[in-house]
Amino acid sequence: MMKEKSISASKASLVFFLCQMISALDVPLDSKLLEELSQPPTITQQSPKDYIVDPRENIVIQCEAKGKPPPSFSWTRNGTHFDIDKDAQVTMKPNSGTLVVNIMNGVKAEAYEGVYQCTARNERGAAISNNIVIRPSRSPLWTKEKLEPNHVREGDSLVLNCRPPVGLPPPIIFWMDNAFQRLPQSERVSQGLNGDLYFSNVQPEDTREDYICYARFNHTQTIQQKQPISVKVFSMDSLNDTIAANLSDTDIYGAKPVTERPPVLLTPTGSTSNKVELRGNVLLLECIAAGLPTPVIRWIKEGGELPANRTFFENFKKTLKIIDVSEADSGNYKCTARNTLGSTHHVISVTVKAAPYWITAPRNLVLSPGEDGTLICRANGNPKPSISWLTNGVPIAIAPEDPSRKVDGDTIIFSAVQERSSAVYQCNASNEYGYLLANAFVNVLAEPPRILTPANKLYQVIADSPALIDCAYFGSPKPEIEWFRGVKGSILRGNEYVFHDNGTLEIPVAQKDSTGTYTCVARNKLGKTQNEVQLEVKDPTMIIKQPQYKVIQRSAQASFECVIKHDPTLIPTVIWLKDNNELPDDERFLVGKDNLTIMNVTDKDDGTYTCIVNTTLDSVSASAVLTVVAAPPTPAIIYARPNPPLDLELTGQLERSIELSWVPGEENNSPITNFVIEYEDGLHEPGVWHYQTEVPGSQTTVQLKLSPYVNYSFRVIAVNEIGRSQPSEPSEQYLTKSANPDENPSNVQGIGSEPDNLVITWESLKGFQSNGPGLQYKVSWRQKDVDDEWTSVVVANVSKYIVSGTPTFVPYEIKVQALNDLGYAPEPSEVIGHSGEDLPMVAPGNVQVHVINSTLAKVHWDPVPLKSVRGHLQGYKVYYWKVQSLSRRSKRHVEKKILTFRGNKTFGMLPGLEPYSSYKLNVRVVNGKGEGPASPDKVFKTPEGVPSPPSFLKITNPTLDSLTLEWGSPTHPNGVLTSYILKFQPINNTHELGPLVEIRIPANESSLILKNLNYSTRYKFYFNAQTSVGSGSQITEEAVTIMDEAGILRPAVGAGKVQPLYPRIRNVTTAAAETYANISWEYEGPDHANFYVEYGVAGSKEDWKKEIVNGSRSFFVLKGLTPGTAYKVRVGAEGLSGFRSSEDLFETGPAMASRQVDIATQGWFIGLMCAVALLILILLIVCFIRRNKGGKYPVKEKEDAHADPEIQPMKEDDGTFGEYRSMSAWTGKKMDKEKKRKGSCASSSEADPVFTKAKSVRSDRSNFFKRSGDQYSNIRSETSYTRRKARQSSELRRASSVSASLCQEEKKSDKWIYRHGSRRHASEQQIMGLDEGSNSQAGHPPPFHQPLSCNSVRGSLARQHSSLPHRFSQTPDYSSDSEDTQSSNHRK
């Protein structure tokens, strides 16, 4: 039986194709055949139905058609004939029906608006185009309007209206600020579908004056801008402050605080609305609500589910988007806005209508006379479209009658057609939402068979490969094809041949005996024809001796063989490649008939050499690797780098080239292999040298290519096997002229940073690549696979541009072109980028879990459609967590685990599960933006496993013949416990084990008393738990029964002799410090054991160090250890071979940094500073006495001149008196009080201007400390503590010296005491470091508020001096002090 199948295009290159559909036959497009056969017109190209044109360019209305004879074209406009010859602005392209309307001569495009239809006609019929509606695009300006500022209270809602001008097509709306930055949007602030900007509630940060609405008209590539809108938000705090400033204190004022409000829909209004959308379009539903807190929007479809994989939420879930809608998407969609105070909803009734769409479009018919055929035209829509037929562009009802046709609704039936039945039929399916128009011709031809394949064509193939022999044919009716071997051979049949619809014969595996003549016969009722072709099967080409791997010394010779065998009728060509590239153009490479020889091999010859043999029918290859090694050493010769070249000279200066020549330097016993030429661009990068080119060492002149707008300098470096020479001296400079850029930016990319933008980046040109001043870039983009024009913008010399308002994750074609003041670079290549990704909106479906064992499960899921990923698919994440253990029935919080599976995987393994537990999991898809929604949680359970070891085993209450065992249940039962297994056996003093006894214990027990044991015997116990799966891990313990109280050893029951007690050391513990460690242990065994401790560095192979423990103590201190080191330790007993504890590890603490010594706390430093202060004090006192001996001391005049304390602040910390203020104020105030008690006329110290001034200064200082706060106190408290202690001690000593001088002066001058009493009091009080009234509050008057005498002064100073140790016994802690306390402490 003949086997038929379609031939793959990769197997044969056929010139003619024949397709049969029902009883229809297409005429092959053979040039000779078309010259003889007639064919009705067929429309091959036409403009779209709704054609919006650019009013600035010529209007081109396309209409192309084919037919035989070539068709003629005519047009109608608005239903009437359009006489092109009468309109000088309209021309028709030659041999075409395409119209070109020239509007460059001042004609407006609006004058040619209308409905156009093209007709292509020849003697066989007429085909018509769609009705083409021509409309020029419009991008009108915004109407001028006065926009009042928007004053809004915080928390209220706000809508900023855009109202863009009506354009054609409608513009794209977006909001930006004055800096052309897109305004941020969120759940609270977002743009509606109508372009308005909605605020659910305004906040103070919304205040700004540059809310600008932009309208982008893509067709004309223009952007219109609305006037900026100002928004002023009044917060409650500022409003209250404004009200308070205008009301008296007695008025009641204050605006109400921001009140929370339930949601109210801003759009749409009302509770219900209607929406009509067409089938196949995108359905967009919107709900935006006001409220505080900001409402959240949720969408549902009443009585149904939102369609999976076609539903998307945009604009922070305020917009519901359903793509490719169908009639099944009709229904009620409900949006609900909700916040903490309530909710509101709106129901949108959606009706999906449908413009007509094809079910079966009519197809061309080629019939022979007398044959039957049908034209079927079936379409659907909502409402149901009506079908109408036309013949040659005329309604079939008024067309000339044809007895061979019958119209039956959407079908035309042809019976016994004749040649006059040829015509073009049009089917029109239309309803209120659109129409479909299809042309299909009926061509009646009577043609005998023709074979189009050339006669005696020769086919050649290689043995064991497929052979395809063509027999292209034509005839009407369609001929039948038969193949024969030879001229008069039998017909070919069987599975070894394949017969294709287009007449081709295929031999799947051709052999040498397949060579010969093959005859193709075509016949129909009008005749018969045949054609003979030849097939030759050739032997395959083979490499019988392949090149082999070679290791060759430098400067030696290498040879590769490549011996071939081929069919004698084929001519082979041999090509040698090095590293998949052509051989170097070097005379050292010699290519022979069967080999490749490389003379004087160098290191550069390392690589892979391939021999390729080609014939006209096949190709084979073989490769080998050559490795070059160093030659054997030669007698020592001093080699060095070459000296730098000399005498650089520039000649032959042209705009784009120059010649550089030089004189080589000394080679230094190593030949110069090459010269490296470098250049410096003194105009753009002075001081930076770049690689230009390199030439062989035998060459001293080179022609260099130059770039425009570069100030060149050149230098040359010589290279030999030792290395590179120093660079030569630079050549003279040469400045080239400016030109257009030669190249465009590289590494152009388009990656969105947000879901609605496209960030275009590129690598900017270097300075010398600009070729001239004024470097800029023209950035162009357009959406891929969409019939859209390029959008372009010229930017400065930057490397990034952001396109806003793009759809989410769609491909864009991008190109970046460089330009300067002289012009543009060549047209750049296009790259593909993508706008920003958004989070996936669809969760993986059909999640299934297959539990493999108690700790491993496999999860499967269906992949998310790539359209729903909305970004680059990164993979899938599986979240899984344990819900509860089935054995304990207790829930506890367990952290979720995450496994990531890269790529488009649909399954994954979950390891590390806990047996006998309940788990949940979900799956999420991940793209570059993040994770999508989770799939519904899937619950699965793991089977039982073996339990973990019992949590503990304790052995207590030892007696002569019994032990009590207590244990805890396993931490992880991993199932239902069935029992415990206890095994035990005795151990003698030679570590020999006795017989093993096994006991099974019920699972509900937790203790057991073992009886009938041997006394004074050590037993080893093995204990584990069991589930239905098996036994878990065991724990072991040892215990000893006690000795007989009477000292008589009883015989063991069931054993031989009684075993003695064997000693052991256990529970070795360490407590490590920086250089020492405390070691302790527990001992069981005979008394009077002598212990020793062994230790060493952990991981070291050195011998253990041994320390003897004095006495029978169970602890020891290891000293002299290294800080920060890990040690091992064990304890043993003397005299007992091999009797030691197990090893323990510990680590000493890290070395502590040495404490830094504060020089201010050293005694010698304090003493030195006190001595210096005392000397300064003595000098001041001497000057003070000598001035007072000279007469009047003008203190009053100076006080009057400097009454302002801010101009002359008191000095506190510099240790001087500053015009004697400290001393005179202190002593003077004391003397004033003494004279007052004696009835003198001296005024009170409180009225003294100096005292008032000092107090003011102290007050200012207190305020300063309060303002400084904790920061000042924390910084100063500790660092100045020692200095203050030393300073107060020094001041007390100075005060003692002053008091002695005052006592002498008191006898000489009472007048002096009166004049300077107040000043002396202030000075003394400052030295004492006391605030006014501080002592009086504690019940002790200040030392100088008593009658002033030498004894009283000395006594007061003595008391103050004695209080210093107590006052400085503790460092003040200011961390918890109040501001006032801190200020006081600082003053003290």
Side-chain angles (χ1 to χ4, degrees), residues 393-436:
V394 178
I396 200 167
I398 60 175
E401 291 187 4
D402 184 353
S404 65
R405 72 170 179 244
K406 176 184 178 183
V407 178
D408 185 7
D410 57 8
T411 304
I412 300 180
I413 302 172
F414 296 92
S415 303
V417 295
Q418 301 301 319
E419 188 171 353
R420 63 177 181 274
S421 300
S422 296
V424 181
Y425 291 85
Q426 290 83 33
C427 173
N428 185 305
S430 62
N431 64 11
E432 58 186 288
Y433 297 105
Y435 73 94
L436 293 173

Side-chain angles (χ1 to χ4, degrees), residues 1280-1330:
S1280 63
Y1281 168 73
T1282 304
R1283 298 182 187 135
R1284 287 188 279 108
K1285 178 178 178 181
R1287 186 165 62 247
Q1288 187 157 356
S1289 299
S1290 175
E1291 290 177 350
L1292 285 172
R1293 285 193 291 272
R1294 292 204 306 267
S1296 299
S1297 301
V1298 172
S1299 64
S1301 301
L1302 292 177
C1303 290
Q1304 295 177 2
E1305 291 299 319
E1306 181 181 10
K1307 299 175 182 179
K1308 296 180 180 180
S1309 177
D1310 290 339
K1311 181 178 179 181
W1312 179 88
I1313 292 172
Y1314 175 77
R1315 292 182 65 183
H1316 304 289
S1318 62
R1319 184 178 296 273
R1320 183 175 66 192
H1321 168 73
S1323 179
E1324 291 172 357
Q1325 187 166 356
Q1326 182 182 4
I1327 292 174
M1328 291 304 296
L1330 300 174

Side-chain angles (χ1 to χ4, degrees), residues 872-925:
H872 296 286
L873 176 63
Q874 303 289 331
Y876 292 86
K877 283 188 178 181
V878 178
Y879 287 73
Y880 65 102
W881 63 97
K882 178 180 174 182
V883 179
Q884 67 176 15
S885 173
L886 299 178
S887 60
R888 298 187 176 184
R889 301 296 181 183
S890 60
K891 293 186 179 180
R892 60 190 182 97
H893 174 71
V894 178
E895 183 179 358
K896 292 185 178 180
K897 298 181 181 179
I898 304 173
L899 286 178
T900 302
F901 301 95
R902 299 292 179 186
N904 196 17
K905 292 194 69 174
T906 59
F907 68 92
M909 307 299 291
L910 306 182
L913 304 177
E914 294 185 16
Y916 206 52
S917 300
S918 176
Y919 280 85
K920 285 186 178 181
L921 65 76
N922 58 53
V923 187
R924 312 176 189 200
V925 67

Side-chain angles (χ1 to χ4, degrees), residues 30 38 114 155 222 317 387 407 534 555 591 601 615 655 970-971 1007 1161 1212 1216:
D30 176 70
S38 299
T222 58
K317 293 191 176 180
I387 304 294
V407 178
Q534 306 297 323
S555 301
V591 178
V601 172
T615 68
E655 288 187 1
T971 306
S1007 64
T1161 64
E1212 229 178 61
T1216 63

Side-chain angles (χ1 to χ4, degrees), residues 136 199 316 384 652 660 948 957 976 1124 1160 1211 1237 1367 1376:
F199 295 77
F316 308 96
K384 182 75 175 179
L660 173 66
S948 63
N957 301 330
V976 178
K1211 299 181 181 180
R1237 283 194 292 271
R1367 185 173 301 175
S1376 60

Side-chain angles (χ1 to χ4, degrees), residues 281-354:
N281 288 355
V282 176
L283 175 63
L284 293 174
L285 305 178
E286 179 182 55
C287 276
I288 301 178
L292 186 66
T294 302
V296 176
I297 305 297
R298 180 173 175 268
W299 291 90
I300 63 171
K301 182 179 181 182
E302 293 183 345
E305 298 290 334
L306 295 175
N309 303 329
R310 294 190 293 114
T311 301
F312 303 94
F313 297 99
E314 297 180 344
N315 197 19
F316 308 96
K317 293 191 176 180
K318 300 176 186 179
T319 302
L320 173 65
K321 177 180 177 181
I322 301 177
I323 62 174
D324 193 21
V325 295
S326 64
E327 289 85 344
D329 295 322
S330 297
N332 293 332
Y333 291 80
K334 180 179 179 181
C335 70
T336 303
R338 186 184 306 276
N339 66 9
T340 56
L341 299 184
S343 65
T344 185
H345 67 270
H346 184 92
V347 177
I348 305 175
S349 179
V350 174
T351 302
V352 177
K353 299 290 186 178

